PDB file of all heavy atoms in Angstrom:
ATOM      1  N   ARG B   8      53.378-201.275 119.773  1.00 94.00           N
ATOM      2  CA  ARG B   8      54.204-200.758 120.870  1.00 94.00           C
ATOM      3  C   ARG B   8      54.767-199.370 120.559  1.00 94.00           C
ATOM      4  O   ARG B   8      55.201-198.670 121.471  1.00 94.00           O
ATOM      5  CB  ARG B   8      55.327-201.742 121.201  1.00 94.00           C
ATOM      6  CG  ARG B   8      54.800-203.035 121.834  1.00 94.00           C
ATOM      7  CD  ARG B   8      55.891-204.000 122.117  1.00 94.00           C
ATOM      8  NE  ARG B   8      56.432-204.445 120.832  1.00 94.00           N
ATOM      9  CZ  ARG B   8      57.363-205.367 120.677  1.00 94.00           C
ATOM     10  NH1 ARG B   8      57.895-205.946 121.725  1.00 94.00           N
ATOM     11  NH2 ARG B   8      57.767-205.721 119.489  1.00 94.00           N
ATOM     12  N   HIS B  15      54.974-190.949 118.240  1.00 98.00           N
ATOM     13  CA  HIS B  15      54.277-191.910 117.385  1.00 98.00           C
ATOM     14  C   HIS B  15      52.803-192.024 117.776  1.00 98.00           C
ATOM     15  O   HIS B  15      51.950-192.211 116.903  1.00 98.00           O
ATOM     16  CB  HIS B  15      54.964-193.272 117.432  1.00 98.00           C
ATOM     17  CG  HIS B  15      56.417-193.214 117.060  1.00 98.00           C
ATOM     18  ND1 HIS B  15      56.886-192.560 115.937  1.00 98.00           N
ATOM     19  CD2 HIS B  15      57.510-193.704 117.675  1.00 98.00           C
ATOM     20  CE1 HIS B  15      58.199-192.669 115.874  1.00 98.00           C
ATOM     21  NE2 HIS B  15      58.604-193.358 116.923  1.00 98.00           N
ATOM     22  N   ALA B  29      41.016-198.612 105.955  1.00 96.00           N
ATOM     23  CA  ALA B  29      40.766-197.165 105.901  1.00 96.00           C
ATOM     24  C   ALA B  29      41.340-196.398 107.098  1.00 96.00           C
ATOM     25  O   ALA B  29      40.615-195.686 107.793  1.00 96.00           O
ATOM     26  CB  ALA B  29      39.272-196.905 105.759  1.00 96.00           C
ATOM     27  N   ALA B  33      39.733-193.476 109.653  1.00 98.00           N
ATOM     28  CA  ALA B  33      39.752-193.634 111.113  1.00 98.00           C
ATOM     29  C   ALA B  33      40.428-192.432 111.764  1.00 98.00           C
ATOM     30  O   ALA B  33      39.951-191.912 112.781  1.00 98.00           O
ATOM     31  CB  ALA B  33      40.462-194.927 111.504  1.00 98.00           C
ATOM     32  N   GLY B  34      41.527-191.964 111.171  1.00 98.00           N
ATOM     33  CA  GLY B  34      42.215-190.785 111.696  1.00 98.00           C
ATOM     34  C   GLY B  34      41.349-189.544 111.624  1.00 98.00           C
ATOM     35  O   GLY B  34      41.337-188.721 112.542  1.00 98.00           O
ATOM     36  N   LEU B  44      36.134-180.196 120.842  1.00 98.00           N
ATOM     37  CA  LEU B  44      36.812-179.516 121.957  1.00 98.00           C
ATOM     38  C   LEU B  44      37.232-178.092 121.578  1.00 98.00           C
ATOM     39  O   LEU B  44      37.224-177.198 122.411  1.00 98.00           O
ATOM     40  CB  LEU B  44      38.046-180.309 122.392  1.00 98.00           C
ATOM     41  CG  LEU B  44      37.781-181.602 123.136  1.00 98.00           C
ATOM     42  CD1 LEU B  44      39.078-182.393 123.316  1.00 98.00           C
ATOM     43  CD2 LEU B  44      37.136-181.312 124.498  1.00 98.00           C
ATOM     44  N   LEU B  54      42.292-170.994 114.770  1.00 96.00           N
ATOM     45  CA  LEU B  54      43.225-171.027 113.651  1.00 96.00           C
ATOM     46  C   LEU B  54      44.672-171.119 114.131  1.00 96.00           C
ATOM     47  O   LEU B  54      45.465-171.893 113.582  1.00 96.00           O
ATOM     48  CB  LEU B  54      43.034-169.801 112.752  1.00 96.00           C
ATOM     49  CG  LEU B  54      43.847-169.786 111.464  1.00 96.00           C
ATOM     50  CD1 LEU B  54      43.552-171.008 110.605  1.00 96.00           C
ATOM     51  CD2 LEU B  54      43.577-168.509 110.690  1.00 96.00           C
ATOM     52  N   PHE B  59      49.512-174.368 114.669  1.00 98.00           N
ATOM     53  CA  PHE B  59      50.536-174.969 115.526  1.00 98.00           C
ATOM     54  C   PHE B  59      50.543-176.490 115.343  1.00 98.00           C
ATOM     55  O   PHE B  59      51.608-177.109 115.248  1.00 98.00           O
ATOM     56  CB  PHE B  59      50.296-174.603 116.992  1.00 98.00           C
ATOM     57  CG  PHE B  59      51.192-175.346 117.939  1.00 98.00           C
ATOM     58  CD1 PHE B  59      52.531-174.990 118.082  1.00 98.00           C
ATOM     59  CD2 PHE B  59      50.715-176.425 118.664  1.00 98.00           C
ATOM     60  CE1 PHE B  59      53.378-175.696 118.938  1.00 98.00           C
ATOM     61  CE2 PHE B  59      51.540-177.140 119.520  1.00 98.00           C
ATOM     62  CZ  PHE B  59      52.882-176.767 119.656  1.00 98.00           C
ATOM     63  N   LEU B  61      49.582-178.089 112.717  1.00 98.00           N
ATOM     64  CA  LEU B  61      50.117-178.321 111.372  1.00 98.00           C
ATOM     65  C   LEU B  61      51.644-178.297 111.402  1.00 98.00           C
ATOM     66  O   LEU B  61      52.305-179.221 110.905  1.00 98.00           O
ATOM     67  CB  LEU B  61      49.583-177.263 110.407  1.00 98.00           C
ATOM     68  CG  LEU B  61      50.155-177.267 108.991  1.00 98.00           C
ATOM     69  CD1 LEU B  61      49.731-178.521 108.245  1.00 98.00           C
ATOM     70  CD2 LEU B  61      49.710-176.028 108.247  1.00 98.00           C
ATOM     71  N   GLU B  87      45.673-186.236 108.567  1.00 98.00           N
ATOM     72  CA  GLU B  87      44.217-186.249 108.397  1.00 98.00           C
ATOM     73  C   GLU B  87      43.534-185.484 109.530  1.00 98.00           C
ATOM     74  O   GLU B  87      42.553-184.773 109.303  1.00 98.00           O
ATOM     75  CB  GLU B  87      43.678-187.682 108.360  1.00 98.00           C
ATOM     76  CG  GLU B  87      43.718-188.334 107.010  1.00 98.00           C
ATOM     77  CD  GLU B  87      45.078-188.884 106.618  1.00 98.00           C
ATOM     78  OE1 GLU B  87      45.956-189.008 107.490  1.00 98.00           O
ATOM     79  OE2 GLU B  87      45.273-189.184 105.433  1.00 98.00           O
ATOM     80  N   VAL B  89      44.733-182.949 111.311  1.00 98.00           N
ATOM     81  CA  VAL B  89      44.935-181.519 111.082  1.00 98.00           C
ATOM     82  C   VAL B  89      44.175-181.064 109.843  1.00 98.00           C
ATOM     83  O   VAL B  89      43.589-179.981 109.829  1.00 98.00           O
ATOM     84  CB  VAL B  89      46.439-181.180 110.985  1.00 98.00           C
ATOM     85  CG1 VAL B  89      46.649-179.724 110.612  1.00 98.00           C
ATOM     86  CG2 VAL B  89      47.140-181.506 112.295  1.00 98.00           C
ATOM     87  N   THR B  94      39.798-177.867 107.516  1.00 98.00           N
ATOM     88  CA  THR B  94      38.546-177.836 106.760  1.00 98.00           C
ATOM     89  C   THR B  94      37.465-177.104 107.544  1.00 98.00           C
ATOM     90  O   THR B  94      36.655-176.373 106.968  1.00 98.00           O
ATOM     91  CB  THR B  94      38.072-179.277 106.447  1.00 98.00           C
ATOM     92  OG1 THR B  94      39.050-179.925 105.639  1.00 98.00           O
ATOM     93  CG2 THR B  94      36.730-179.289 105.738  1.00 98.00           C
ATOM     94  N   ALA B  97      36.076-171.674 110.678  1.00 93.00           N
ATOM     95  CA  ALA B  97      34.959-170.740 110.432  1.00 93.00           C
ATOM     96  C   ALA B  97      33.705-171.439 109.901  1.00 93.00           C
ATOM     97  O   ALA B  97      32.938-170.856 109.142  1.00 93.00           O
ATOM     98  CB  ALA B  97      35.394-169.614 109.500  1.00 93.00           C
ATOM     99  N   PHE B 100      28.808-174.270 113.959  1.00 94.00           N
ATOM    100  CA  PHE B 100      28.744-175.500 114.757  1.00 94.00           C
ATOM    101  C   PHE B 100      27.367-176.123 114.611  1.00 94.00           C
ATOM    102  O   PHE B 100      26.380-175.637 115.169  1.00 94.00           O
ATOM    103  CB  PHE B 100      29.052-175.216 116.227  1.00 94.00           C
ATOM    104  CG  PHE B 100      29.102-176.476 117.035  1.00 94.00           C
ATOM    105  CD1 PHE B 100      30.236-177.259 117.039  1.00 94.00           C
ATOM    106  CD2 PHE B 100      28.007-176.899 117.754  1.00 94.00           C
ATOM    107  CE1 PHE B 100      30.283-178.440 117.764  1.00 94.00           C
ATOM    108  CE2 PHE B 100      28.033-178.068 118.486  1.00 94.00           C
ATOM    109  CZ  PHE B 100      29.179-178.845 118.486  1.00 94.00           C
ATOM    110  N   LEU B 138      51.462-181.724 103.423  1.00 95.00           N
ATOM    111  CA  LEU B 138      51.057-180.809 102.355  1.00 95.00           C
ATOM    112  C   LEU B 138      49.838-181.282 101.580  1.00 95.00           C
ATOM    113  O   LEU B 138      48.942-180.486 101.298  1.00 95.00           O
ATOM    114  CB  LEU B 138      52.235-180.569 101.402  1.00 95.00           C
ATOM    115  CG  LEU B 138      52.037-179.524 100.318  1.00 95.00           C
ATOM    116  CD1 LEU B 138      51.702-178.166 100.939  1.00 95.00           C
ATOM    117  CD2 LEU B 138      53.285-179.422  99.456  1.00 95.00           C
ATOM    118  N   ASP B 140      47.391-183.113 102.544  1.00 96.00           N
ATOM    119  CA  ASP B 140      46.192-182.970 103.371  1.00 96.00           C
ATOM    120  C   ASP B 140      45.838-181.499 103.596  1.00 96.00           C
ATOM    121  O   ASP B 140      44.665-181.156 103.696  1.00 96.00           O
ATOM    122  CB  ASP B 140      46.369-183.707 104.692  1.00 96.00           C
ATOM    123  CG  ASP B 140      46.405-185.198 104.466  1.00 96.00           C
ATOM    124  OD1 ASP B 140      45.340-185.817 104.495  1.00 96.00           O
ATOM    125  OD2 ASP B 140      47.496-185.735 104.217  1.00 96.00           O
ATOM    126  N   VAL B 154      28.879-173.845 100.036  1.00 96.00           N
ATOM    127  CA  VAL B 154      27.577-174.440 100.360  1.00 96.00           C
ATOM    128  C   VAL B 154      26.948-173.691 101.535  1.00 96.00           C
ATOM    129  O   VAL B 154      25.739-173.397 101.516  1.00 96.00           O
ATOM    130  CB  VAL B 154      27.711-175.949 100.656  1.00 96.00           C
ATOM    131  CG1 VAL B 154      26.410-176.528 101.189  1.00 96.00           C
ATOM    132  CG2 VAL B 154      28.159-176.700  99.409  1.00 96.00           C
TER     133      VAL B 154
END
Side-chain angles (χ1 to χ4, degrees):
R8 291 178 293 184
H15 304 312
L44 288 171
L54 186 58
F59 172 76
L61 174 67
E87 275 80 14
V89 174
T94 298
F100 185 81
L138 186 58
D140 292 270
V154 172

